[in-house]
Amino acid sequence: SQTIHQWPATLVQPVGSPLSLECTVEGTSNPNLYWYRQAAGRGLQLLFYSVGIGQISSEVPQNLSASRPQDRQFILSSKKLLLSDSGFYLCAWNGGYSNQPQHFGDGTRLSIL
Amino acid sequence: QQPVQSPQAVILREGEDAVINCSSSKALYSVHWYRQKHGEAPVFLMILLKGGEQKGHEKISASFNEKKQQSSLYLTASQLSYSGTYFCGTDGSGGSNYKLTFGKGTLLTVNP
């Protein structure tokens, strides 16, 4: 069966520091991968998605970036974090087009001080 | 275009029914429903595809009216475990897209 791993679960970072969040999927090949951010009490905002190695689509211009160095690995990065980057970051995968369900990782709760 | 969910919040007693609506200003190809418990990741409930089908999962079912560009989630005889925030995610691309646009969510609280 397919599983998705996301880490770390919790992260506290100072303003201006770099960020690296990692997500890996097991049990499937060539998944579509997604990064979402959820502000407290808010909906799911799509940040990036990828349909293949090295292919990244950005939905929201900001100081975050994403990379997909391997088929089942998706990384969210920032060179300098802002206070507004705080939130709950979720990685998800699915097996194809939008008629396939998305399956979410457990998320990373990021606090910027 | 973000879909609009209603109501924003609903409080039920165990055993009562609820309906959550999801409306879009664009033509829809598919509607996904997810439930998220506090502090956890969203969990997939069901997908409805263009065609107006109704799907069910135990006491939770949903309908999709493509002409009205809306979907409704029906929770019958609610249980305490149904508490959480329900999100709809929509795709209006005709199925050739890879992404969903999620609504702001409906907070459902079921009390004993």
Side-chain angles (χ1 to χ4, degrees):
Chain A
S1 63
Q2 303 91 353
T3 56
I4 179 168
H5 302 281
Q6 196 180 333
W7 67 92
T10 306
L11 190 60
V12 180
Q13 293 283 95
V15 170
S17 63
L19 173 74
S20 181
L21 302 181
E22 190 162 342
C23 170
T24 59
V25 179
E26 295 179 356
T28 187
S29 59
N30 197 31
N32 294 336
L33 297 170
Y34 305 84
W35 278 113
Y36 290 90
R37 178 170 61 201
Q38 188 175 33
R42 303 292 295 275
L44 297 161
Q45 180 188 33
L46 179 63
L47 301 176
F48 302 93
Y49 69 95
S50 171
V51 300
I53 296 175
Q55 301 179 59
I56 308 293
S57 295
S58 174
E59 292 297 300
V60 183
Q62 55 205 332
N63 69 322
L64 298 172
S65 62
S67 62
R68 184 170 177 173
Q70 300 181 45
D71 181 44
R72 291 168 289 175
Q73 184 184 28
F74 206 21
I75 297 171
L76 183 70
S77 304
S78 174
K79 293 182 179 178
K80 282 188 176 183
L81 286 167
L82 307 172
L83 282 174
S84 58
D85 291 324
S86 292
F88 190 41
Y89 287 81
L90 290 155
C91 181
W93 75 273
N94 79 351
Y97 292 119
S98 62
N99 60 351
Q100 301 295 313
Q102 292 190 15
H103 304 282
F104 289 83
D106 289 336
T108 295
R109 195 161 303 281
L110 176 64
S111 299
I112 310 298
L113 303 178
Chain B
Q1 206 82 6
Q2 186 177 38
V4 177
Q5 287 186 234
S6 62
Q8 290 185 317
V10 58
I11 299 175
L12 301 173
R13 287 197 178 274
E14 209 172 357
E16 292 181 337
D17 301 340
V19 180
I20 299 171
N21 299 303
C22 175
S23 297
S24 174
S25 58
K26 290 177 56 174
L28 296 178
Y29 172 76
S30 66
V31 180
H32 298 219
W33 286 97
Y34 295 80
R35 177 173 60 209
Q36 183 179 31
K37 293 188 178 290
H38 183 67
E40 299 180 6
V43 173
F44 169 73
L45 294 176
M46 63 188 77
I47 290 177
L48 298 104
L49 301 178
K50 183 178 176 181
E53 62 177 294
Q54 186 153 350
K55 295 191 108 177
H57 178 70
E58 296 182 345
K59 294 179 182 176
I60 300 176
S61 62
S63 63
F64 179 22
N65 188 322
E66 61 189 85
K67 290 184 179 178
K68 292 186 177 181
Q69 297 163 187
Q70 67 183 36
S71 175
S72 295
L73 186 71
Y74 306 95
L75 300 102
T76 58
S78 59
Q79 306 168 12
L80 296 176
S81 62
Y82 286 4
S83 292
T85 301
Y86 289 78
F87 292 98
C88 67
T90 59
D91 167 38
S93 71
S96 60
N97 205 351
Y98 299 102
K99 61 182 182 179
L100 298 174
T101 304
F102 284 91
K104 292 184 177 180
T106 295
L107 177 60
L108 178 73
T109 304
V110 181
N111 292 321

